[in-house]
């Protein structure tokens, strides 16, 4: 097989991973940046998004696109509301103390996982993609004497995967616009910069926290809805994105959204590309070691500012 | 440092009770307590770094697995007998802990968490990668004939119980001694205010390095014994889950108390054991219990005892 087409294919597959990862990680990064909360249950919000998407798709019926669009709206809202409720009932009462938050969110992880297992069951279930045409990747090469386009089988990607990449990009632009251009974004940034000062200026910090926690979880759920037509919904699916999102958030620099997106691209693409050309396990070993070493020598991450 | 009579009495008392329990417990609980004692040793090791030095590691499974595989692989492939294999496991853990400490201690806070997590994950993947020797996820069984330590067959429940008790006693008393020593006091001071300790002229880096090696070595000893006593080594023991377990046990039992790791392990183990007898939803109960504990007993069980009843509890 040729190197060029492989590389393009690996890059596109990696871009799909990166897109979903970016959504999940930006959610985690928001929560981390604004609230200084390490949310171990973030992966479970992702999983809930996928599971709810399956339920919604089942209930709506008709053309797969209808169910998918409904899921795209409903799942993030439901998950966001759940997360906000968890914030108000639990996290607020332990005063966002770092260690206790970790334990509480691990507890939450167990509860969500078990409840999903009890209601949804252990099976992995697919959601049908709204559309899934194949897009042939053009590939040019020399044939004997003339330069022409070759389209051998296999070098194609579903249009849905391209859609995932663009959808994630659009949502991320929306998040950026919200943070940079709207009043609620301003309140969030003020809370992030100095919680006490924000309180003194009459910003309802507790409500901002609940909102941020909800939005963070909602973004994870959105990423999951986008991925279910490619990967099935399963009650244990939250573990891997949690780990990856953590890596991305740290590499990108704490609380830095551009850093997070860039790191997601880097991790997603390198994972896609390395595992095509080398053994996937070896690729993962090298990637994790690299991440560890980057942090050893640049603890503030790529875009973070050094704090004590 | 002087050790109060009450303190010594309490901690030795626990060991005596555990020793005596062997003669009254039914077989099932005897096996459970043996397992809890080995896992609690792991938590004791974790507590030295997390509870007393204030460094939150998410990579202790690396040390646990280093002990387990250092022991298991030398038995399996180098024909070691259990005693040298145990030593090999413990030495492997100490070396890995020292190496990781040299790198990870350059960072602090969240970066430290992630660096330890990353290296542990790389270790876990390495176990999978060398599946030819380690049998990866599936793991390998250590045959009964390879588990006879000084003529004592560890497959016998009583022998296993006493081996676990011996390991736990050593780790437990070692940590009690450590935290009351000058070195341990300095670690607690580092946890409370590292800047100030540094200004007083202490080499905080060397102290943290020592804490991490001690913590990793005890964790590796627990891993080595776990593999030997229960005759199995598998990649699961190197996964993230096994890094989170000791954190949970220590937090539940009370971080920064000598008794905490044991109390937490015992509590969590029996919570899951008992509730899985009643319902299949034991994770639900464990989850709710975790949330409830953080809400109502923020310092863990022993931590609450120290806060409300006995201020001097080490």
């Amino acid at each position: 097989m040729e190197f060029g087409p492989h590389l393009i294919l690996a890059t596109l597959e990696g871009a799909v991973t990166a897109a979903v990862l970016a959504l999940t990680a930006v959610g985690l990064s928001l929560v981390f940046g604004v609230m200084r909360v390490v949310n171990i249950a973030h992966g479970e919000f992702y999983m809930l998004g996928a599971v709810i998407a399956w339920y919604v798709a089942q209930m709506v019926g008709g053309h797969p696109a209808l169910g998918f669009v409904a899921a795209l709206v409903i799942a993030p809202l439901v998950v966001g509301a759940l997360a906000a409720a968890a914030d108000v009932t639990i996290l607020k009462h332990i005063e966002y103390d770092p260690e206790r938050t970790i334990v509480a969110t691990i507890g939450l992880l167990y509860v969500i996982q078990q409840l999903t297992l009890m209601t949804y069951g252990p099976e992995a279930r697919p959601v049908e993609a709204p559309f899934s045409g194949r897009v042939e990747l053009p590939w040019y090469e020399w044939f004997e004497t003339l330069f022409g386009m070759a389209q051998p089988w296999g070098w194609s990607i579903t249009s849905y995967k391209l859609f995932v990449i663009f959808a994630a990009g659009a949502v991320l632009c929306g998040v950026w616009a919200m943070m940079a251009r709207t009043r609620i974004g301003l309140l969030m940034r003020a809370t992030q910069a100095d919680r006490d000062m924000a309180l003194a200026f009459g910003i309802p910090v507790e409500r901002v926290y609940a909102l941020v926690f909800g939005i963070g979880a909602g973004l994870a759920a959105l990423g999951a809805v986008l991925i279910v037509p490619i990967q099935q919904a399963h009650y244990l699916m939250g573990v891997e994105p949690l780990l990856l999102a953590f890596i991305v958030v740290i590499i990108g620099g704490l609380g830095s959204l551009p850093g997070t997106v860039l790191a997601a691209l880097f991790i997603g693409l390198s994972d896609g590309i390395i595992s095509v050309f080398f053994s996937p396990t070896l690729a993962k070993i090298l990637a994790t070691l690299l991440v560890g070493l980057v942090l050893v020598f640049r603890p503030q991450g790529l875009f973070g500012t050094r704090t004590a | 440092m002087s050790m109060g009579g009450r303190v010594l009495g309490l901690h030795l008392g626990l060991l005596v009770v555990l020793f005596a329990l062997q003669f009254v417990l039914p077989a099932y609980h005897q096996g459970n307590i043996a397992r809890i004692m080995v896992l609690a040793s792991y938590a004791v090791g974790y507590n030295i770094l997390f509870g007393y030095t204030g460094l939150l590691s998410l990579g202790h499974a690396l040390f646990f697995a280093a002990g387990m595989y250092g022991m298991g692989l030398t038995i399996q492939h180098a024909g070691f007998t259990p005693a040298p294999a145990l030593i090999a496991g413990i030495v492997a853990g100490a070396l890995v802990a020292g190496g990781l400490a040299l790198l990870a201690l350059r960072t602090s806070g969240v970066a430290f968490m992630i660096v330890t997590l990353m290296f542990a994950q790389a270790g876990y993947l390495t176990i999978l990668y060398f599946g030819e020797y380690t049998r990866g996820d599936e793991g390998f069984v250590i045959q009964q004939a390879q588990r006879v330590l000084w003529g004592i067959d560890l497959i016998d429940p009583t022998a296993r119980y006493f081996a676990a008790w011996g390991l736990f006693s050593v780790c437990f008393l070692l940590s009690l001694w450590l935290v009351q020593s000058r070195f341990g006091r300095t670690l607690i001071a580092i946890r409370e205010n590292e800047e100030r300790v540094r200004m007083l002229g202490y080499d905080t880096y060397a102290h943290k390095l020592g804490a991490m090696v001690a913590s990793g070595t005890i964790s590796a000893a627990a891993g080595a014994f776990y593999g030997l006593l229960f005759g199995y080594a598998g990649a699961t023991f190197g996964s993230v889950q096994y890094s989170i377990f000791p954190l949970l046990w220590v937090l539940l039992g009370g971080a920064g108390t000598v008794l905490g790791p044991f109390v937490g392990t015992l509590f969590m183990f029996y919570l899951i054991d008992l509730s899985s007898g009643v319902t299949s939803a034991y994770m639900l109960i464990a989850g709710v219990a975790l949330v409830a504990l953080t809400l109502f007993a923020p310092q863990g069980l022993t931590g609450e005892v120290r806060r409300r009843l006995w201020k001097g509890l080490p």
Side-chain angles (χ1 to χ4, degrees), chain B residues 6-20:
Chain B
R6 280 171 79 197
V7 169
L8 201 59
L10 175 73
H11 292 84
L12 287 180
L14 173 70
L15 292 180
V16 171
V17 168
L18 282 173
F19 188 86

Side-chain angles (χ1 to χ4, degrees), chain A residues 25-58:
Chain A
V26 162
L28 193 66
S29 177
L30 262 184
V31 170
F32 208 61
V34 177
M35 304 165 71
R36 298 279 142 200
V37 156
V38 176
N39 177 19
I40 310 279
H42 195 68
E44 302 317 304
F45 291 137
Y46 175 90
M47 177 274 283
L48 270 185
V51 167
I52 292 174
W54 181 83
Y55 275 116
V56 172
Q58 288 307 302

